[in-house]
């Protein structure tokens, strides 16, 4: 009889002890879960894009529930509607979201730049970049294989003539493309910005010109004409400081290579797609 | 004494590697080795739980099961103890070290049913190790697991870029790579005896 009783007793006692310890500890070590966290998570878009600066929607919701002083307007894809919903849950004042969009700092499509080889490797920008900097004569520019298009969850990017083109209306400014681009030519900025330099080449002027007729040659004419000191030329490349720029468009008229674009001129219905070719035509005239 | 402990550790890291030589814990080895950082996370978590489990099960075996002559209960009792131990660790980390808890994430509960952990505790008893030796053996087993995970994560990251024929894509190529990696560890079998002599 004892041959059965002793093992049964041992396992039962060990199981009982483990159960008691777990029950007691679960009471002592209980971590309260904030109900608001689940509610906030519900209203967030769930794209897990990381535009808010947190690891994903869950993380942002947790941070919001913990710290009510945190801005409710960080979610770029959700925009104002989500910000208001979050503010409603937390009982705080909702701010307005400054809508953002992706800007491609390159105008190098097939018409203005050339290829130096026929790349037939793995068809991603990342792989092409590792192979002598890609197939284009300018190694700073758009690789044109669409890593950005593939990560975009909103279908806002198209590859036209070997150049990534952002549809500003569809773009929510989440920043996935900015992270995906191996050349770092995509910048996320406020949709209010209309004038920007569509080039990323740090080569000296002659080299840039040789590789691409739409490139910034770093002549500095734009910096001289700008009334707001918003433009700086560094390492052969002009950059517009979006905080200082008033979108006056003087620099765009001054630029000899038309590397600066002004979105204001275009009718709203016309997507950014047409810019690069039309620019080129102007140049020919 | 110390050379004996080091010997136990080196043996279990290189020669009797739990994953590559004894084929325990293959599930997490194949499942979480896609990315280097999650592979390291899993490896560290397994090391931690292995040492804790060895520390908890050795006294139970020696002072309880052996005394009452019921050694055949080993497997049942060890699973019970390890499972509740992992639960306690999880609750403790959630309360006091939330950053580590978040870093380990889903891997901690996964370890509850990891056969490598059960394997370490049972082999400690089978090999007749004392308490200190058990701890070193468990730590070495964890390090060996971590090593295998890191090596294999590197291999798999390279394989992502490779052009593999259709029928071999996915699991078949991963299993082939695992077998080649395991074959390479056979080379250590003659080495360890000479290290500390």
């Amino acid at each position: 009889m004892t041959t059965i009783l002793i093992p049964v007793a041992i396992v039962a006692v060990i199981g009982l002890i483990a159960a008691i310890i777990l029950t007691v500890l679960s009471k002592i070590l209980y971590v309260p879960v904030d109900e608001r966290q689940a509610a906030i998570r519900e209203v967030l878009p769930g794209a897990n894009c990381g535009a808010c600066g947190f690891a994903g929607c869950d993380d942002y919701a947790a941070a919001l529930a913990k710290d009510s002083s945190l801005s409710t307007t960080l979610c770029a894809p959700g925009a104002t509607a989500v910000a208001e919903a979050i503010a409603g849950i937390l009982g705080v004042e909702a701010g307005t979201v400054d809508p953002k969009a992706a800007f491609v700092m390159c105008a190098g499509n097939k018409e203005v730049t050339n290829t130096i080889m026929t790349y037939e490797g793995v068809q991603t920008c990342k792989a092409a970049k590792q192979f002598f900097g890609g197939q284009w004569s300018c190694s700073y520019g758009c690789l044109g294989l669409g890593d950005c298009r593939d990560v975009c969850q909103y279908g806002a990017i198209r590859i036209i003539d070997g150049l990534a083109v952002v549809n500003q209306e569809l773009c929510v400014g989440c920043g996935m493309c900015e992270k995906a681009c191996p050349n770092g030519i995509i910048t996320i900025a406020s949709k209010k910005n209309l004038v920007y330099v569509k080039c990323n080449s740090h080569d000296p002027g002659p080299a840039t010109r040789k590789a691409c007729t739409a490139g910034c040659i770093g002549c500095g004419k734009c910096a001289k004409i700008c009334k707001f000191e918003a433009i700086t030329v560094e390492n052969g490349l002009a950059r517009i400081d979006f905080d200082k720029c008033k979108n006056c468009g003087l620099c765009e008229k001054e630029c000899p290579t038309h590397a600066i674009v002004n979105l204001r001129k275009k009718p709203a219905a016309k997507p950014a797609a047409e810019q690069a070719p039309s620019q080129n035509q102007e140049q020919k005239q | 004494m110390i050379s004996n402990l080091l010997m136990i550790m080196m043996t279990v890291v290189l020669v009797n590697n739990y994953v590559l030589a004894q084929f325990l814990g293959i599930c997490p080895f194949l499942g979480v080795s896609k990315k280097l950082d999650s592979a390291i996370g899993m490896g560290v978590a397994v090391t931690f739980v292995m040492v804790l489990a060895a520390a908890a099960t050795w006294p139970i075996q020696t002072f309880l099961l052996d005394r009452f002559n019921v050694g055949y209960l080993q497997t049942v009792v060890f699973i019970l103890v390890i499972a509740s131990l992992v639960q306690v660790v999880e609750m403790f980390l959630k309360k006091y070290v939330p950053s580590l808890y978040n870093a380990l994430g889903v891997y901690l509960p996964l370890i509850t049913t990891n056969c490598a952990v059960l394997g370490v505790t049972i082999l400690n008893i089978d090999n007749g190790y004392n308490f200190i030796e058990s701890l070193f053996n468990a730590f070495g087993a964890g390090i060996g697991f971590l090593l295998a995970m890191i090596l294999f994560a590197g291999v798999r990251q390279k394989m992502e870029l490779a052009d593999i024929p259709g029928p071999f894509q996915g699991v078949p190529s991963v299993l082939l790579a695992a077998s080649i990696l395991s074959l390479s560890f056979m080379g250590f079998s003659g080495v360890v005896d000479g290290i500390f002599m």
Side-chain angles (χ1 to χ4, degrees), chain B:
Chain B
M1 171 71 182
I2 287 175
S3 76
N4 181 34
L5 292 177
L6 283 176
M7 177 84 130
I8 288 174
M9 244 179 82
M10 291 303 287
T11 313
V12 83
V13 170
L14 295 175
V15 184
N16 292 333
N17 189 299
Y18 269 74
V19 179
L20 298 172
Q22 309 200 37
F23 309 115
L24 293 168
I26 296 291
C27 170
F29 177 64
L30 296 178
V32 262
S33 58
K34 265 195 185 138
K35 281 187 177 165
L36 186 59
D37 47 355
S38 55
I40 292 175
M42 184 71 188
V44 171
V46 166
T47 311
F48 181 62
V49 172
M50 274 180 174
V51 175
L52 266 183
T57 51
W58 193 87
I60 288 179
Q61 173 76 28
T62 315
F63 300 119
L64 196 67
L65 301 185
D66 284 352
R67 174 175 292 184
F68 291 102
N69 217 4
V70 284
Y72 58 87
L73 280 178
Q74 198 183 42
T75 315
V76 178
V77 171
F78 280 13
I79 290 176
L80 189 66
V81 171
I82 292 169
S84 31
L85 191 68
V86 174
Q87 287 295 310
V88 172
V89 171
E90 194 182 342
M91 283 193 287
F92 184 83
L93 289 182
K94 198 173 180 181
K95 176 87 176 178
Y96 294 108
V97 204
S99 54
L100 183 63
Y101 175 78
N102 288 330
L104 293 179
V106 72
Y107 305 128
L108 209 49
L110 271 181
I111 297 167
T112 315
T113 47
N114 185 339
C115 65
V117 178
L118 186 65
V120 170
T121 53
I122 289 180
L123 286 176
N124 277 340
I125 310 299
D126 284 358
N127 292 345
Y129 290 147
N130 65 30
F131 187 65
I132 302 293
E133 284 170 345
S134 298
L135 290 186
F136 271 80
N137 186 45
F139 183 69
I143 296 296
F145 185 81
L146 181 65
L147 179 73
M149 290 292 278
I150 291 173
L151 287 177
F152 201 50
V155 171
R156 285 188 76 169
Q157 280 181 348
K158 287 271 179 199
M159 278 167 58
E160 291 280 306
L161 280 176
D163 187 17
I164 301 167
F168 276 102
Q169 274 170 18
V171 181
S173 59
V174 170
L175 286 173
L176 274 176
S179 65
I180 294 170
L181 186 61
S182 134
L183 202 63
S184 70
F185 266 65
M186 297 285 283
F188 286 115
S189 54
V191 176
V192 161
D193 291 338
I195 290 182
F196 301 108
M197 294 296 155

